[in-house]
Amino acid sequence: MDKFLNFKKVSESETELYIYGDIRKKDWIDSWFGTGQDATDAFSLKDALSAVDTPNLTVRINSYGGSVSEGLAIYSLLSEFKGHLKTIVDGFACSAASVIFMAGQERVVPENGLLMIHNAWTETRGDSNKMKKVAEDLEKITQPSLNIYTSKTNLTEEEIKEKMDREEWITSKEAFEWGFSTTQTRKDDAMQSLEADFVYNLVIKNKELQKTIEEKTKEMAEKIIKEKTQGSLKEEPEGLANSLEQNQIKEGSWESFFNTKNKKR
């Protein structure tokens, strides 16, 4: 069994599956050089899943994601499990890994765990017709994940789409409030790496900064509207749009991280 795709029978009633690493199909390069030990693919999982003989299966996830097609296939395989399926985020469940997480009947994001959802993306080149076709294809490829999130959460499709558009990081509290998780737990054991802790703290700081900027921007807009209503302003103040724009945090999560330093100047 692969190092990062590991099944462990913990009792006569429960089996644990660990999905740690990339979600992708192994290729000839992996076969040739013996690489890809950190990858989870649907075909390997299918064979291992058929050997599970316990009524309960717990899937523990720590992955930055990967292939949309493999993620959807794994989601389908896990959804067909005949017993009780529980999914737990041991660190991150990003992108395709967050789709796999949604397969659980019981879903747990501990307080030090994070989900991340976004639209499908790719790299390509070609003329304008090619680019238009790729854009159309990506919207269709994104739709199944959007449908899964919508069917399992208490958010509308429009709300989910908005979060995917801006590459949303989701905390434990948000996951429970929005319905991504079904259970809240406190996790006292340190299962995350130093890198994961760093990124987790960065996400939290980014969310706090975004909230502060949104509040300040709203306060500024309300003040201007109030002054205009009272007649103290006869026309739109020059530079208002630029001022508001400068106070808006960039929506892309990773861009926001690297702009945090600039915002503090």
Side-chain angles (χ1 to χ4, degrees):
M1 187 64 63
D2 290 341
K3 177 182 177 182
F4 286 79
L5 174 58
N6 182 263
F7 280 85
K8 179 182 178 182
K9 188 173 182 178
V10 295
S11 70
E12 291 303 312
S13 63
E14 183 179 6
T15 298
E16 285 189 339
L17 160 64
Y18 290 82
I19 299 180
Y20 281 24
D22 295 335
I23 311 299
R24 67 175 179 85
K25 195 177 292 185
K26 297 178 180 63
D27 54 27
W28 66 270
I29 296 178
D30 295 319
S31 300
W32 186 270
F33 292 101
T35 56
Q37 295 302 305
D38 61 342
T40 297
D41 66 278
F43 190 79
S44 298
L45 185 138
K46 174 184 69 67
D47 292 339
L49 194 59
S50 65
V52 175
D53 59 359
T54 58
N56 300 295
L57 174 62
T58 298
V59 181
R60 310 189 75 103
I61 304 169
N62 187 22
S63 171
Y64 285 104
S67 166
V68 176
S69 61
E70 290 301 295
L72 291 173
I74 292 172
Y75 170 87
S76 296
L77 289 169
L78 291 175
S79 295
E80 293 174 359
F81 181 69
K82 301 302 181 183
H84 180 75
L85 178 65
K86 179 179 181 180
T87 51
I88 303 175
V89 176
D90 278 341
F92 289 170
C94 304
S95 188
S98 69
V99 175
I100 294 172
F101 170 74
M102 301 305 293
Q105 296 160 307
E106 182 180 356
R107 303 184 297 278
V108 182
V109 181
E111 64 178 355
N112 64 331
L114 286 170
L115 299 176
M116 190 273 279
I117 63 175
H118 67 164
N119 298 318
W121 64 273
T122 188
E123 295 178 353
T124 189
R125 62 182 180 179
D127 62 14
S128 60
N129 293 319
K130 172 68 174 178
M131 296 303 176
K132 290 175 184 177
K133 178 64 165 57
V134 170
E136 293 173 358
D137 290 345
L138 284 175
E139 288 187 0
K140 293 179 180 179
I141 294 170
T142 297
Q143 191 62 45
S145 299
L146 177 59
N147 293 342
I148 290 169
Y149 297 137
T150 304
S151 68
K152 296 295 184 75
T153 67
N154 53 36
L155 300 177
T156 65
E157 182 173 324
E158 291 71 23
E159 290 171 326
I160 295 287
K161 185 66 172 67
E162 180 185 359
K163 296 182 187 304
M164 295 177 74
D165 286 345
R166 69 178 189 228
E167 198 173 81
E168 182 84 12
W169 286 89
I170 301 171
T171 64
S172 172
K173 181 180 179 181
E174 291 169 336
F176 184 71
E177 290 176 351
W178 296 337
F180 285 91
S181 66
T182 62
T183 307
Q184 276 189 308
T185 62
R186 182 178 179 84
K187 196 167 188 177
D188 296 320
D189 54 322
M191 294 191 66
Q192 291 178 288
S193 65
L194 179 61
E195 176 191 9
D197 284 334
F198 171 75
V199 177
Y200 176 85
N201 291 328
L202 208 52
V203 169
I204 298 303
K205 288 180 180 179
N206 176 56
K207 283 182 172 289
E208 291 174 351
L209 178 62
Q210 182 175 0
K211 183 178 179 181
T212 299
I213 291 174
E214 288 175 350
E215 289 176 349
K216 293 293 184 182
T217 303
K218 182 179 178 181
E219 182 180 328
M220 181 189 300
E222 289 177 346
K223 181 179 179 181
I224 292 172
I225 291 173
K226 182 178 180 181
E227 291 176 347
K228 185 175 181 180
T229 301
Q230 292 175 344
S232 59
L233 291 178
K234 297 182 179 179
E235 57 182 354
E236 283 290 321
E238 185 177 356
L240 171 60
N242 291 334
S243 176
L244 293 177
E245 182 179 352
Q246 289 170 3
N247 281 279
Q248 288 289 343
I249 195 165
K250 287 191 175 182
E251 290 186 341
S253 296
W254 292 110
E255 292 181 57
S256 299
F257 293 161
F258 296 110
N259 278 306
T260 300
K261 184 177 180 181
N262 295 330
K263 296 290 182 183
K264 292 181 179 178
R265 291 179 180 175

